[in-house]
């Protein structure tokens, strides 16, 4: 176990069916005018938007967040005189809201702070208060310290990142996810599962993230298939909203691994929903990691972690790593997860993706070093 460690999380996490109704009360304590980021169709949240209490300007996030979209959002917030941000939507909407809140608090341009493709300047001042209200159960963006922005010019996605970007309040209401269509439930749910598993086996795991990841994996095992089979199953939706929340806190504090290292690169080059990329890569990465660990470090604690994860996911106390892998593959089939080839990823891209992924920040959390050949083989299996 890695010691010492740090642990950062949101100021206030509010969870429960129907609790989105508390948004006006929460906002009233945080600001006087609010910019509300939503998905492309704000009318989906007409009920919530009608009773916000504060003067509100609505900013629909109709496309994947980019540095340019963050600039437009900041301009809209300034024009409205917003001193608080609410983000009601999926991961993209929450990330954009977090980026705008950070830029309102720190000034400057997104590229001043963006990692990899920007100047990577340190974020030193608090973001303006941001309330994150997820409407999917997947990214955990309501509690993470980064916002992913795409840079179409670089064909890359990069993050704005600081503990100061963790939303002031995460308002997690599983009822908001009931209207998610099955493909979104599948992609976001498998992302949530992956975001509990990768921190659990990460080189940066710590005792606090372990507890969260274990509970998140158990919830994914209980709720993922059921939420997909019947979107109105509130107990399953609550399991998955909780899994997503736990995964977000875990990954913000213990990092991720090769699934996210590869998915990040693929997301910059092909039009693949992030969760679908994770879903297709998950079993091949576990397989590659377990093989590499068994040959290089047969006593590695990560192998015990994979066994424990298999038991939590399957609900069977004697399950092996192979049983866990079979459960994940079967889940992918049940949830109609397509291969990456469906999204235009080609075998000839494998070398390039493997090379770029090797240098990604997620890869540093992977429990074992995977060779270029390993990463290439993983990608080919995920096609
Ligand atoms: Zn993810």
């Amino acid at each position: 176990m890695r010691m010492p460690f740090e642990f950062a999380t949101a100021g206030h996490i509010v969870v429960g069916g129907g609790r989105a109704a508390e948004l006006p009360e929460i906002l009233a304590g945080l600001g006087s005018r609010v910019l509300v980021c939503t998905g492309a169709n704000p009318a989906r949240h007409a009920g919530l938007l009608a009773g916000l209490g504060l003067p509100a300007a609505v900013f629909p996030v109709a496309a994947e967040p980019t540095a340019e979209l963050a600039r437009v959002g900041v301009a809209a917030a300034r024009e409205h005189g917003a001193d608080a941000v609410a983000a009601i939507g999926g991961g993209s909407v929450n990330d954009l809201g977090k980026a705008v809140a950070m830029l309102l608090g720190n000034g400057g341009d997104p590229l001043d702070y963006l990692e990899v493709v920007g100047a990577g300047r340190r974020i030193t001042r608090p973001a303006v208060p941001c309330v994150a209200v997820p409407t999917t159960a997947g990214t955990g963006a309501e509690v993470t310290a980064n916002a992913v922005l795409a840079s179409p010019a670089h064909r890359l996605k990069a993050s704005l990142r600081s503990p100061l970007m963790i939303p002031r309040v995460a308002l997690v209401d599983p009822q908001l996810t009931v209207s998610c269509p099955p493909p979104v439930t599948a992609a976001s749910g498998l992302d949530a599962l992956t975001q509990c598993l990768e921190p659990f086996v990460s080189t940066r795991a710590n005792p606090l993230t372990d507890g969260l990841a274990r509970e998140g994996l158990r919830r994914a095992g209980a709720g993922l298939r059921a939420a997909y089979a019947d979107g109105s199953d509130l107990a399953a939706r609550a399991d998955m909203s909780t899994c997503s929340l736990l995964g977000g806190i875990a990954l913000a504090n213990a990092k991720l691994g090769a699934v996210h290292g590869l998915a990040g690169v693929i997301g910059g080059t092909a039009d693949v929903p992030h969760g679908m990329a994770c879903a297709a890569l998950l079993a091949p990465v576990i397989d590659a990691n377990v093989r590499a660990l068994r040959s290089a470090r047969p006593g590695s604690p990560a192998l015990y972690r994979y066994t424990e994860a298999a038991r939590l996911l399957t609900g069977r106390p004697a399950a092996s790593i192979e049983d866990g892998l079979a459960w994940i593959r079967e889940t992918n089939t049940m949830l109609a997860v397509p291969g990456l080839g469906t999204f235009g990823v080609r075998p000839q891209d494998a070398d390039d993706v493997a090379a770029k992924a090797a240098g990604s920040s997620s890869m540093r959390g992977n429990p074992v070093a995977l060779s270029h050949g390993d990463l290439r083989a993983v990608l080919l299996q995920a096609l």
Side-chain angles (χ1 to χ4, degrees):
M1 187 53 57
R2 187 173 166 271
M3 295 277 197
F5 62 87
E6 285 182 22
F7 190 86
T9 191
H12 194 183
I13 299 174
V14 179
V15 185
R19 296 199 72 177
E22 294 172 34
L23 182 58
E25 203 180 312
I26 291 168
L27 281 173
L30 296 178
S32 57
R33 300 176 70 82
V34 62
L35 182 81
V36 185
C37 301
T38 68
N41 178 16
R44 279 191 60 199
H45 310 296
L48 269 182
L49 294 174
L52 284 175
L54 302 185
V58 175
F59 185 72
V61 179
E64 191 174 53
T66 57
E68 180 52 28
L69 196 62
R71 283 184 202 112
V72 177
V74 169
R78 291 217 171 101
E79 194 183 327
H80 178 61
D83 55 5
V85 174
I88 307 170
S92 291
V93 173
N94 277 285
D95 275 2
L96 203 274
K98 286 155 65 182
V100 169
M102 183 282 282
L103 290 163
L104 288 174
N106 284 265
D109 187 80
L111 284 178
D112 294 340
Y113 308 100
L114 205 55
E115 295 176 342
V116 189
V117 299
R121 220 166 78 194
R122 220 162 74 85
I123 293 160
T124 53
R125 286 188 242 150
V128 304
C130 176
V131 183
V133 189
T135 60
T136 62
T139 65
E142 67 274 16
V143 285
T144 58
N146 66 313
V148 180
L149 300 181
S151 174
H154 298 88
R155 288 167 60 79
L156 268 179
K157 288 183 178 178
S159 281
L160 301 168
R161 191 187 310 270
S162 163
L164 296 168
M165 287 181 63
I166 297 175
R168 183 78 62 86
V169 181
L171 179 54
V172 181
D173 182 345
Q175 285 181 9
L176 297 179
T177 69
V178 164
S179 56
C180 275
V184 175
T185 302
S188 51
L190 282 151
D191 187 24
L193 185 163
T194 307
Q195 293 183 170
C196 290
L197 181 63
E198 293 208 295
F200 191 52
V201 298
S202 165
T203 55
R204 309 285 189 96
N206 72 54
L208 289 178
T209 57
D210 286 348
L212 301 173
R214 277 191 188 96
E215 178 64 9
L217 288 166
R218 192 185 69 75
R219 298 269 185 164
L224 177 55
R225 293 176 178 190
Y228 180 83
D230 174 7
S232 68
D233 181 338
L234 272 175
R237 292 294 195 182
D239 277 334
M240 292 316 296
S241 286
T242 309
C243 171
S244 175
L245 171 69
L246 295 169
I249 307 172
L251 81 87
N253 289 286
K255 297 231 173 260
L256 291 159
V259 176
H260 276 82
L262 288 162
V265 176
I266 292 164
T269 55
D271 193 13
V272 188
H274 169 73
M276 283 300 181
C278 290
L281 290 160
L282 183 56
V285 165
I286 296 171
D287 195 35
N289 278 349
V290 168
R291 278 171 203 272
L293 286 164
R294 279 179 178 153
S295 86
R297 290 193 282 125
S300 164
L303 287 169
Y304 295 98
R305 293 295 175 98
Y306 274 121
T307 306
E308 199 183 342
R311 292 170 182 175
L312 290 163
L313 287 171
T314 61
R316 302 203 307 268
S320 65
I321 293 176
E322 283 63 32
D323 294 330
L325 267 170
W327 186 90
I328 288 167
R329 291 194 175 108
E330 202 181 279
T331 303
N332 275 7
T333 306
M334 290 169 74
L335 273 55
V337 172
L340 295 175
T342 312
F343 302 100
V345 182
R346 303 162 306 168
Q348 57 266 42
D349 300 329
D351 264 319
D352 191 38
V353 171
K356 282 186 179 148
S360 71
S361 81
S362 291
M363 203 60 89
R364 289 200 288 274
N366 203 57
V368 62
L370 293 178
S371 68
H372 179 80
D374 291 335
L375 290 172
R376 211 178 154 276
V378 162
L379 193 79
L380 292 173
Q381 281 176 57
L383 290 180

